[in-house]
Amino acid sequence: MVAWGIMDSSINKILEVPVHERLPSKCIELISCEIPLPKEDQVQVKIYGAGINFNSIWQSICHPLTPRALVDGHIRRNPSEIQNKQNFYIFGSDGAGIITAIGKNVVGWKIGDEVVIHCNYVDPLRHSLDFDQMLSPSQSIWGYETNYGSFADYTCVNQGQLLKKPAHLSWPEAGSFMLTLATAYRMLISQNGAQIRPGEICLIWGASGGLGGFAIQLCNMIGAIPVGIVSSGPKKIYCESLGCKYVLNLEEIGTPLFVQENGEPNYLAWKKLKNYLTKIVGAEIDVVFEHIGRETIGLSVYLMRKGGRVVTCAASSGFMAQIDLRYLWMDLKRIIGSHFANFTEAAASNQLVNENKIKTTTESIINFEEVPTYLDRLYLRKNIFGKVGIRF
Ligand code: NDP
């Protein structure tokens, strides 16, 4: 079969290029390998739809960790996974398809079932499905920390990663919503996240992106008020079309950088944005939906009302950040760390799509050959709205 990923032998060559000069399309490669066979607790899935996520960018550019280091970490946490170790890494943490083979311990699923795969890998022998598996010492992200992901004709996944495909979705739609929707669900709705309440105001960074598009819809679903932040006029229009009540276009406001070159906060820019927000929204921010990191996390803490919560799952602009802690403790604010979702949260997200309470945001559907081009577009923030689905 063919797959997108990288060969282990290519990693050293990628590392010779300075990190800021690496481009996903110059690193990712087409791999030819055997079709994987399921272990006892696994199924083999023929992939019909998949989705592009930012984690394939991190893998491609080998930053902050190489795929080799990621998979080695997974094997340290799950020693029996050494059997799966390969000299290649197949990317892709979102996928949907049809079960084509089944391990002998699998119950409740059969060959021919249409499934959506969620990307939380935990050792099936160690945890039941009602435990918060994100806390498991065995926890890994499939297609990021494992050898086999969804950018391939076939993959193998644990039975605990399977959910029934919502019948009304096309394959690229079904294969592209789970990672970001379930992450946003845990961040905003679940008891493990900010647990946003009706009437609360939620500031959403990168509101037109994969996470952002679902964060807007989840706020509206719960009766909270989404306030999106974007970097261009078309992105603003897109967020409004998703039901975002207020959208701030940073290009329009002309806000300077929030962090100076030496990493220190730019307090003038912070004040300017806070004043602007107060004028537009007319109330203080209760919750901030964070994933930008270095450029915004300090500002996010500053912007909220007393007692507000920042919930964060990423650091696209850099993970070493400065926070002025005075705004945290004096104003009794909280920062909540969040990472993907456990089985219950993923299943709840699938159900929301199934019931049409949340719409998928697969705005672009691309062919398998176009994966490198679209990874670049996502990386360079070039006119990508919502999710990119891949048809096989
Ligand atoms: P997208 O690229 O779809 O959206 C991110 C948005 O963030 C962009 O639309 C962009 O909007 C904005 N942005 C602002 N600054 C930056 C920057 N420096 N680099 C990149 N984007 C920026 O990505 P996702 O929403 O899918 O994911 C966002 C981040 O969250 C990624 O780092 C990803 O790896 C991480 N993530 C973590 C998960 C977890 O479980 N821990 C799960 C899912 C995602 P604009 O141009 O309008 O500012």
Side-chain angles (χ1 to χ4, degrees):
M1 68 171 187
V2 287
W4 283 114
I6 55 175
M7 299 298 296
D8 191 76
S9 54
S10 302
I11 289 176
N12 289 351
K13 240 182 297 159
I14 294 171
L15 294 177
E16 281 170 16
V17 179
V19 66
H20 294 297
E21 288 173 25
R22 293 177 207 157
L23 202 59
S25 65
K26 299 271 183 273
C27 306
I28 196 169
E29 50 196 345
L30 213 48
I31 292 166
S32 177
C33 62
E34 296 292 312
I35 294 175
L37 296 173
K39 293 193 294 180
E40 293 177 344
D41 291 289
Q42 289 189 325
V43 302
Q44 181 193 65
V45 178
K46 179 162 172 42
I47 299 287
Y48 284 95
I52 300 247
N53 281 296
F54 225 91
N55 63 1
S56 303
I57 292 171
W58 302 129
Q59 285 165 300
S60 303
I61 64 170
C62 294
H63 178 77
L65 291 173
T66 65
R68 183 193 300 150
L70 292 166
V71 169
D72 284 349
H74 170 65
I75 292 170
R76 263 197 308 279
R77 295 189 291 280
N78 300 277
S80 69
E81 281 284 285
I82 190 87
Q83 309 161 25
N84 281 350
K85 194 169 163 67
Q86 304 293 346
N87 63 353
F88 54 79
Y89 307 95
I90 298 176
F91 301 167
S93 296
D94 257 335
I98 297 181
I99 297 179
T100 41
I102 271 193
K104 75 174 172 43
N105 293 345
V106 172
V107 283
W109 297 100
K110 58 182 190 320
I111 291 174
D113 282 349
E114 298 191 345
V115 293
V116 167
I117 300 168
H118 78 73
C119 63
N120 189 30
Y121 175 101
V122 282
D123 180 343
L125 299 177
R126 278 200 260 177
H127 299 297
S128 64
L129 291 181
D130 53 6
F131 169 75
D132 181 9
Q133 297 111 358
M134 295 311 298
L135 297 174
S136 166
S138 70
Q139 190 277 325
S140 293
I141 297 294
W142 165 79
Y144 181 64
E145 294 166 294
T146 63
N147 275 111
Y148 290 96
S150 63
F151 293 175
D153 296 326
Y154 289 86
T155 193
C156 284
V157 297
N158 289 342
Q159 59 178 322
Q161 287 177 249
L162 297 175
L163 294 158
K164 197 164 175 274
K165 172 186 170 284
H168 65 286
L169 298 185
S170 69
W171 284 113
E173 286 169 335
S176 58
F177 74 87
M178 180 52 74
L179 190 151
T180 44
L181 173 57
T183 302
Y185 181 92
R186 182 177 174 108
M187 289 171 78
L188 288 178
I189 310 292
S190 159
Q191 62 179 14
N192 298 309
Q195 279 187 290
I196 196 160
R197 294 181 285 268
E200 286 195 314
I201 295 176
C202 179
L203 186 72
I204 302 168
W205 288 103
S208 69
L211 288 171
F214 288 124
I216 291 171
Q217 294 188 63
L218 289 167
C219 283
N220 282 334
M221 184 187 85
I222 219 86
I225 298 145
V227 180
I229 301 204
V230 294
S231 64
S232 74
K235 286 184 175 183
K236 178 175 175 176
I237 293 169
Y238 176 66
C239 291
E240 284 166 349
S241 77
L242 288 178
C244 198
K245 181 150 188 196
Y246 305 101
V247 190
L248 272 69
N249 172 7
L250 291 178
E251 197 180 47
E252 222 169 73
I253 305 169
T255 320
L257 291 178
F258 298 124
V259 171
Q260 301 175 58
E261 261 176 36
N262 63 5
E264 294 278 325
N266 183 350
Y267 290 111
L268 277 178
W270 287 16
K271 276 199 184 112
K272 184 174 170 188
L273 188 69
K274 191 167 192 169
N275 289 341
Y276 196 85
L277 272 169
T278 313
K279 203 167 93 194
I280 300 284
V281 183
E284 288 187 298
I285 305 296
D286 299 289
V287 173
V288 183
F289 185 85
E290 245 296 337
H291 49 92
I292 312 294
R294 184 180 183 278
E295 288 173 13
T296 57
I297 183 98
L299 167 61
S300 294
V301 169
Y302 165 80
L303 282 176
M304 292 180 297
R305 67 159 166 84
K306 273 191 169 214
R309 295 95 82 202
V310 173
V311 59
T312 180
C313 73
S316 302
S317 65
F319 49 82
M320 297 302 283
Q322 283 205 22
I323 295 173
D324 187 332
L325 291 170
R326 292 171 299 174
Y327 296 111
L328 192 73
W329 89 71
M330 293 293 286
D331 291 339
L332 304 119
K333 299 173 182 177
R334 280 183 290 151
I335 301 176
I336 304 163
S338 195
H339 188 37
F340 184 56
N342 60 33
F343 180 81
T344 311
E345 292 155 348
S349 304
N350 198 49
Q351 188 58 17
L352 289 174
V353 172
N354 215 5
E355 291 171 4
N356 250 317
K357 289 184 176 152
I358 296 288
K359 302 234 178 295
T360 54
T361 59
T362 316
E363 306 301 339
S364 321
I365 295 181
I366 63 168
N367 293 323
F368 186 69
E369 298 72 40
E370 296 176 282
V371 166
T373 310
Y374 274 76
L375 283 175
D376 283 357
R377 285 184 58 179
L378 200 69
Y379 187 44
L380 302 171
R381 293 155 73 179
K382 278 208 177 132
N383 261 350
I384 296 271
F385 305 94
K387 296 298 304 173
V388 177
I390 308 164
R391 71 164 86 81
F392 282 67

